[in-house]
Amino acid sequence: MNFIWVFMIIISYIFSFFAGTTDAVTKSVFDGCESAVSLVISLLGMMCLWTGLLEIAQKSSLTEKIQKLLYPVIHWLFPSVCKNSEVAGAISMSITANLLGLSNAATPLGLAAMEKLEKRNLIKDTASDEMCMFVVINTASITLIPTTLLTIRAAFNSLAPFEIMVPVWIASIISVLSGVLCAKICSRRKSF
Amino acid sequence: MTSFILPAVFIIILGYGMLRRIKIFDVFLSGAKQGISSCIGILPALVGLVVAVSMVRASGLLDFLAKILSPILNKFLFPTEVLPLALLKPVSGSGALAMIKNIFEVSGVDSYPGKLASVMLGSSETTFYALAVYYGATKVKDTRYTVFAAVVADIAGIVAAVVLCNIFWA
C-alpha cells in the first residue's frame, strides 16, 4: 500500500502538468478530505447499528448457528481460526451480509471481524494469512443479488434488468476463486 | 429485494435474542459503542486513500489511459466506453455508479456496452476502498500479498466479464 499510495499521488501531479489539470488536482485534495469525513460520518450510524446487532447475535449464539452452516467454507478459507467461535462467527456474519447484498451491513461486520482477527494476530504490524484472505474476499464481490445495479437498470427502462444475473454470478465466482487461490498459493511461500 | 431482506434480518436477530432471554437493548448498546471507535479509527486511512483517488481522477489520467488502450481492446470486443469503468470501479464505488449511468444514457441499457458494464460492475467491488477500510481498522503496516491477490481477482473478474458477455450476447 505504501508504494501504491505514493505512486497515485505523484503520477497524478506529473500527469496533470502535461494535461493542464494541476488546479483541478489541487482542488481535488480538499474535496477528497471532505468526502472522506462525510463518508465516515455517514458510516458511523450504520456502524453502531450493526455492531450492536452483531453483539445481540453473538450473545444469543445465533452466530454459532450461521457459523455451522458456513463451516465447510470457513474451514477451507480460514483453517486456523475455524475452531475459534468468536472469530469464525464474525467472519460468517460478514460473509452472510455480503451474500444477502446488505452492503450497509457488510462493512461494519467486516470491520468487526478484522478486529477479532487482529486480536489473534501474533505480529501486530504484519497481516496474518487469515487477514489477507479475509480482505481479498471482501475486495472481490460475493453478492448474490446486486440490488443497486438492478435498481439502476430498471430505472433506465431495461427490457430485461435481470438478464445480467447469470454472467454476474459466473464472473464473481471466477474473480473470488482467483483471488482466493492466489492468496492460498502466496501464503505457502515464506517470501511473502 | 433489500426492502424484504433487511426487516427479515432484524426480526431474526431480535427474535432469537428474545427467545434466549437476552437483555436486548443493553447488549445492543454495548455493541454499538464499539462501533464508534472502529468507525473513527478508519478515518486516517480513508482520508489518505480518498484524496489519492480523487487526485488521480481529477488529473484525467484514467481518460487518457482509456484513450490509448481502446484501439487494442476494441479488437477483443471490449468497447471503449466501458474501459474507464473497469479502471474506476476498483477505486471509487460512487464514481463507477455515475459512470454506468452515463454509459446507459449514451449507449443504452440493453446495448452490448450496457450489458458488459453491468456485468463488470455487478461482479466487482471497490477493491482499494475495502483495502484501506479493513486494514485501517488494524495496526497492520505490512499487508503482504493482499494487494497482489486482490488485483489478480479484479483482473480475472474483468476478463471473465468480457468473455462471458461475448458468449452470451455477441
Side-chain angles (χ1 to χ4, degrees):
Chain A
M1 276 310 271
N2 284 322
F3 170 75
I4 295 172
W5 194 63
V6 176
F7 177 77
M8 281 168 84
I9 290 175
I10 291 177
I11 196 98
S12 308
Y13 262 122
I14 293 176
F15 184 80
S16 71
F17 283 129
F18 296 106
T21 50
T22 322
D23 288 345
V25 171
T26 306
K27 188 180 170 291
S28 74
V29 174
F30 305 115
D31 294 346
C33 291
E34 249 181 71
S35 62
V37 172
S38 52
L39 231 145
V40 164
I41 290 173
S42 66
L43 198 65
L44 195 55
M46 272 296 163
M47 192 78 202
C48 290
L49 177 70
W50 285 105
T51 46
L53 288 174
L54 178 66
E55 189 86 358
I56 296 174
Q58 257 162 359
K59 286 266 153 63
S60 65
S61 69
L62 178 64
T63 47
E64 264 174 54
K65 292 257 152 67
I66 293 169
Q67 188 188 325
K68 269 181 198 143
L69 279 176
L70 290 176
Y71 185 81
V73 184
I74 305 279
H75 180 74
W76 181 58
L77 293 173
F78 306 97
S80 74
V81 298
C82 64
K83 291 275 184 287
N84 181 310
S85 70
E86 205 192 353
V87 183
I91 293 175
S92 309
M93 291 300 272
S94 154
I95 290 180
T96 310
N98 267 313
L99 285 174
L100 292 176
L102 295 173
S103 50
N104 282 326
T107 307
L109 293 174
L111 285 178
M114 263 322 253
E115 280 170 0
K116 300 217 157 63
L117 280 173
E118 164 150 65
K119 270 187 211 156
R120 285 176 49 92
N121 188 12
L122 299 175
I123 315 160
K124 288 289 173 215
D125 62 350
T126 306
S128 62
D129 286 328
E130 286 72 30
M131 289 169 127
C132 293
M133 180 62 84
F134 185 70
V135 175
V136 168
I137 292 170
N138 274 287
T139 63
S141 165
I142 48 170
T143 302
L144 288 175
I145 308 145
T147 327
T148 320
L149 177 64
L150 291 174
T151 314
I152 297 176
R153 283 180 62 82
F156 274 85
N157 298 320
S158 168
L159 296 173
F162 291 93
E163 74 174 333
I164 53 148
M165 292 301 291
V166 174
V168 163
W169 287 330
I170 303 173
S172 301
I173 292 167
I174 291 172
S175 167
V176 172
L177 275 183
S178 322
V180 165
L181 286 178
C182 185
K184 282 253 170 204
I185 293 165
C186 289
S187 72
R188 297 220 172 102
R189 293 178 48 172
K190 285 281 160 268
S191 56
F192 274 102
Chain B
M1 259 332 251
T2 324
S3 57
F4 163 75
I5 291 173
L6 199 62
V9 170
F10 264 81
I11 290 166
I12 290 170
I13 292 177
L14 296 181
Y16 202 79
M18 297 250 288
L19 224 95
R20 288 292 173 113
R21 293 179 190 287
I22 283 174
K23 290 181 178 162
I24 292 186
F25 196 63
D26 297 342
V27 173
F28 173 79
L29 288 184
S30 79
K33 212 171 210 169
Q34 295 163 22
I36 303 175
S37 53
S38 40
C39 192
I40 299 295
I42 61 171
L43 181 62
L46 216 50
V47 167
L49 184 89
V50 173
V51 166
V53 166
S54 45
M55 284 172 77
V56 172
R57 284 192 66 192
S59 73
L61 182 66
L62 291 180
D63 310 298
F64 179 69
L65 273 180
K67 231 177 238 166
I68 298 181
L69 292 172
S70 62
I72 313 163
L73 291 168
N74 273 337
K75 287 193 182 130
F76 300 100
L77 271 172
F78 194 126
T80 317
E81 51 266 59
V82 186
L83 183 63
L85 183 73
L87 293 174
L88 187 61
K89 173 72 191 192
V91 290
S92 167
S94 53
L97 280 183
M99 196 167 272
I100 200 167
K101 283 180 187 160
N102 186 262
I103 293 173
F104 287 165
E105 263 162 30
V106 175
S107 312
V109 61
D110 290 317
S111 66
Y112 182 78
K115 284 175 187 166
L116 176 60
S118 302
V119 174
M120 228 173 243
L121 201 70
S123 60
S124 64
E125 262 306 323
T126 42
T127 303
F128 286 90
Y129 166 78
L131 275 168
V133 167
Y134 286 132
Y135 278 121
T138 68
K139 294 185 190 69
V140 168
K141 291 196 177 65
D142 181 2
T143 57
R144 293 164 75 211
Y145 52 84
T146 316
V147 177
F148 174 64
V151 171
V152 166
D154 272 349
I155 294 172
I158 291 170
V159 172
V162 174
V163 172
L164 286 164
C165 286
N166 262 307
I167 297 170
F168 275 73
W169 294 298

